[in-house]
């Protein structure tokens, strides 16, 4: 039974181990400021949410600055942001915490802000000192809903 559970945990529909390895290698070879990153992120859109999460978490575990840059770029895309927030919460570093805090403060999507908040909590529970995410609605959303004189 232990082996069966392990297989279920690692198998994500639509993403074989070989495809995952290829995506990770490509992500780590990208120039975060280059033209290739947006096209690469477009390729992740058709993946299932579980496959996106598997990719993002595996990428985050690489522990490289390039990985964090790709995850941060994913966090700016609605379809990819939940996976990015989940993955950043698994990376025990101040840079991951900073990027999570940015997601928690700026994402227009409630679920992404909640996921980023959970990731920040996870990092705090691992002993990493991180700032608190603001409570309540996103500041820009609150300003937009205020009546104009």
């Amino acid at each position: 039974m232990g082996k069966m559970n392990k297989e279920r945990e690692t198998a994500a529909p639509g993403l074989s181990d070989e495809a995952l390895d290829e995506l990770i290698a490509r992500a780590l070879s990208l120039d975060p400021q280059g033209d290739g990153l947006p096209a690469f992120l477009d390729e992740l859109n058709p993946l299932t949410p579980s496959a996106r999460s598997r990719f993002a978490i595996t990428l985050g575990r690489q522990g490289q600055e390039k990985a964090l840059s790709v995850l941060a770029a994913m966090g700016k895309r609605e379809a990819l942001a939940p996976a990015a927030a989940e993955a950043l919460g698994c990376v025990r570093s101040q840079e991951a915490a900073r990027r999570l805090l940015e997601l928690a403060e700026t994402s227009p999507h409630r679920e992404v802000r909640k996921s980023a908040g959970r990731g920040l909590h996870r990092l705090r529970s691992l002993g990493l000192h991180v700032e608190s995410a603001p409570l309540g609605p996103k500041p820009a959303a609150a300003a937009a809903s205020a009546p104009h004189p």
Side-chain angles (χ1 to χ4, degrees):
M1 179 151 174
K3 183 178 180 183
M4 185 70 110
N5 287 340
K6 178 75 171 161
E7 288 173 11
R8 283 190 195 133
E9 286 176 22
T10 59
L15 189 61
S16 68
D17 289 342
E18 295 79 22
L20 176 64
D21 291 343
E22 179 187 331
L23 284 174
I24 296 296
R26 287 181 51 215
L28 294 174
S29 70
L30 290 170
D31 174 7
Q33 310 306 324
D35 294 336
L37 184 57
F40 177 78
L41 296 178
D42 288 341
E43 292 178 37
L44 300 177
N45 282 332
L47 296 176
T48 64
S50 62
R52 288 181 205 141
S53 291
R54 183 175 178 220
F55 164 76
I57 289 170
T58 304
L59 180 64
R61 289 183 178 153
Q62 302 301 308
Q64 297 180 23
E65 178 58 33
K66 279 188 176 183
L68 293 177
S69 295
V70 172
L71 290 173
M74 287 176 64
K76 295 177 180 161
R77 301 248 182 137
E78 181 178 356
L80 305 176
E86 180 183 357
L88 286 167
C90 297
V91 179
R92 191 176 181 175
S93 78
Q94 285 299 132
E95 182 62 19
R98 185 185 68 76
R99 292 177 189 250
L100 268 174
L101 189 60
E102 180 181 327
L103 271 176
E105 292 174 342
T106 63
S107 177
H109 308 289
R110 181 174 181 253
E111 187 55 41
V112 174
R113 291 191 310 269
K114 286 175 59 177
S115 184
R118 285 190 299 270
L120 288 167
H121 176 74
R122 185 179 307 117
L123 292 178
R124 277 188 215 98
S125 71
L126 293 172
L128 199 65
H129 175 72
V130 296
E131 296 180 32
S132 295
L135 298 175
K138 182 181 147 220
S145 65
H148 295 285

